[in-house]
Amino acid sequence: MGGYWKDRNVLVTGANGFLGSWVSKRLVEEGANVVSFVRDAIPKSFFNLSGTVDKVVIAHGALEDYLSIERVFNEFEVDFCFHLAAQAIVGTAERFPLSTYESNIRGTWNVLEAARRNSRVQGLIIASSDKVYGSKENLPYTEQDTLGGLNPYDVSKVCVDLLAQSYFHTYGIPLGIARSGNFYGPGDLNFSRVVPETIRSLLGNENPVIRSDGTYLRDYFYVEDAAEAFLTLGANVAKDGIKGQAFNFGTEKPTAVIDVVNRLIGLSGKDHLRPVILNQAAHEIKAQYLSCRKAQELLAWRHTTDLEKGLGKSYSWYQDFFSKDES
């Protein structure tokens, strides 16, 4: 990063979430003064287990409360913000759309407005998603594709994306939009996701469950690579040709759910276990993956962890996590 983050006051919303934990850890390693905006305490989060919690300022509050966000920007003299907090589970969003819209949409315009009103802020990274592209016949997605979504989570992220673009084009806030594939890796405690759910089943000597038919294609993006991508975009976001732009981040290598599960079975050495395919997926896009050419050319960024290595590191982490939990 060339020392870019050293001594900067950096606000991370959702700092104790999955991605937020890793971004916060990397910022601390780069010498930033990290202010973590969190709603709930999560004792078993990677944010806590990695010791990051002891190296940052903790500010409690809700994204939906504008005054709480403005207070943090002002009182901690924030230079830069990574807005990562969101309701991030597709199934939860479908069951409770209103709370998802409140946190994801209202929360984002509150962060954007607080940044607009604070002249000290030098940059802002907004976490979007590959879900903003909706279902397309021509893949991979590029940043030039139109945005579209039908389900609550997808729609909320489209709104987040458009709000960010609006604040850049209207007010000139130096921001970047990160559209990423499916995060996985150490520290993910959302066990509705395929990687942690499968590993937990295997460690418990249970057959892993696949809710879809197993053929759905996704871009599985290792979380440490994702954190590096976000920091790289942040360090460059004030530059002409980059500020105000959206960037895709992923591996450019789509993988079927069944292949991920079978690879994890192989890593576990428990070949007697077999995936149970429920074929019950509803309102899911069949295939999603990204072109990252723009990030490669303008940011000189590429992912460095292939799926086999990432799954291996993940499996080892969860082995340790559950063994400590049991003891």
Side-chain angles (χ1 to χ4, degrees):
M1 301 297 166
Y4 180 85
W5 300 107
K6 186 172 175 56
D7 297 327
R8 289 184 187 270
N9 299 331
V10 182
L11 172 64
V12 181
T13 70
N16 60 354
F18 179 35
L19 177 62
S21 295
W22 282 99
V23 168
S24 300
K25 179 177 182 290
R26 285 292 292 115
L27 286 168
V28 168
E29 291 169 350
E30 291 289 329
N33 305 313
V34 178
V35 180
S36 302
F37 186 81
V38 301
R39 183 185 61 185
D40 304 320
I42 308 174
K44 295 181 182 179
S45 67
F46 185 77
F47 184 69
N48 283 34
L49 297 179
S50 65
T52 305
V53 66
D54 300 318
K55 302 171 185 176
V56 302
V57 171
I58 305 293
H60 288 278
L63 285 174
E64 299 87 344
D65 180 8
Y66 173 76
L67 292 180
S68 291
I69 295 173
E70 186 175 70
R71 179 192 74 81
V72 171
F73 269 94
N74 290 333
E75 292 188 9
F76 293 103
E77 299 184 330
V78 170
D79 300 314
F80 203 101
C81 176
F82 287 90
H83 178 43
L84 312 181
Q87 196 301 100
I89 305 301
V90 174
T92 302
E94 191 160 310
R95 291 192 302 272
F96 301 101
L98 293 186
S99 62
T100 298
Y101 293 148
E102 284 285 334
S103 60
N104 293 8
I105 302 174
R106 182 189 295 275
T108 297
W109 81 51
N110 283 343
V111 169
L112 288 163
E113 181 65 7
R116 181 187 75 83
R117 289 166 56 89
N118 192 320
S119 60
R120 185 184 178 98
V121 177
Q122 301 163 11
L124 173 64
I125 300 301
I126 301 290
S128 184
S129 167
D130 59 357
K131 302 295 187 292
V132 299
Y133 293 114
S135 181
K136 298 276 196 301
E137 290 186 6
N138 295 323
L139 295 170
Y141 301 127
T142 72
E143 291 86 350
Q144 287 70 45
D145 285 335
T146 56
L147 305 187
L150 297 176
N151 303 314
Y153 177 78
D154 306 4
V155 169
S156 76
K157 282 300 187 179
V158 170
C159 292
V160 164
D161 210 296
L162 292 175
L163 282 166
Q165 293 179 47
S166 171
Y167 266 76
F168 169 72
H169 288 290
T170 307
Y171 306 111
I173 295 176
L175 59 80
I177 302 166
R179 300 170 182 164
S180 304
N182 286 30
F183 301 131
Y184 75 96
D188 186 1
L189 300 183
N190 286 312
F191 290 100
S192 61
R193 294 190 178 122
V194 63
V195 172
E197 182 181 40
T198 298
I199 294 175
R200 183 171 66 173
S201 296
L202 294 171
L203 291 173
N205 291 308
E206 299 174 354
N207 291 320
V209 173
I210 297 176
R211 284 181 290 277
S212 69
D213 64 4
T215 65
Y216 284 49
L217 291 176
R218 294 292 184 267
D219 188 347
Y220 293 94
F221 187 23
Y222 187 63
V223 68
E224 290 186 73
D225 287 354
E228 206 69 19
F230 275 65
L231 264 67
T232 299
L233 178 56
N236 289 278
V237 78
K239 297 177 181 178
D240 291 337
I242 293 178
K243 61 184 175 183
Q245 296 289 308
F247 288 85
N248 291 341
F249 293 113
T251 68
E252 300 185 301
K253 296 179 180 179
T255 306
V257 174
I258 187 68
D259 291 338
V260 172
V261 172
N262 283 331
R263 288 188 190 210
L264 287 169
I265 292 173
L267 283 168
S268 72
K270 300 180 180 182
D271 296 334
H272 61 286
L273 297 177
R274 294 288 185 270
V276 177
I277 299 177
L278 300 181
N279 197 16
Q280 295 176 348
H283 308 139
E284 290 267 359
I285 296 170
K286 191 73 175 178
Q288 292 179 302
Y289 54 99
L290 299 160
S291 166
C292 303
R293 183 176 178 180
K294 184 176 178 180
Q296 293 161 6
E297 292 179 349
L298 297 185
L299 302 174
W301 175 87
R302 290 178 183 271
H303 83 283
T304 60
T305 308
D306 63 27
L307 184 60
E308 196 70 26
K309 182 179 179 181
L311 291 177
K313 294 172 75 171
S314 302
Y315 194 89
S316 296
W317 186 87
Y318 284 103
Q319 275 185 310
D320 186 58
F321 175 77
F322 284 115
S323 66
K324 287 181 178 177
D325 197 41
E326 288 174 3
S327 63

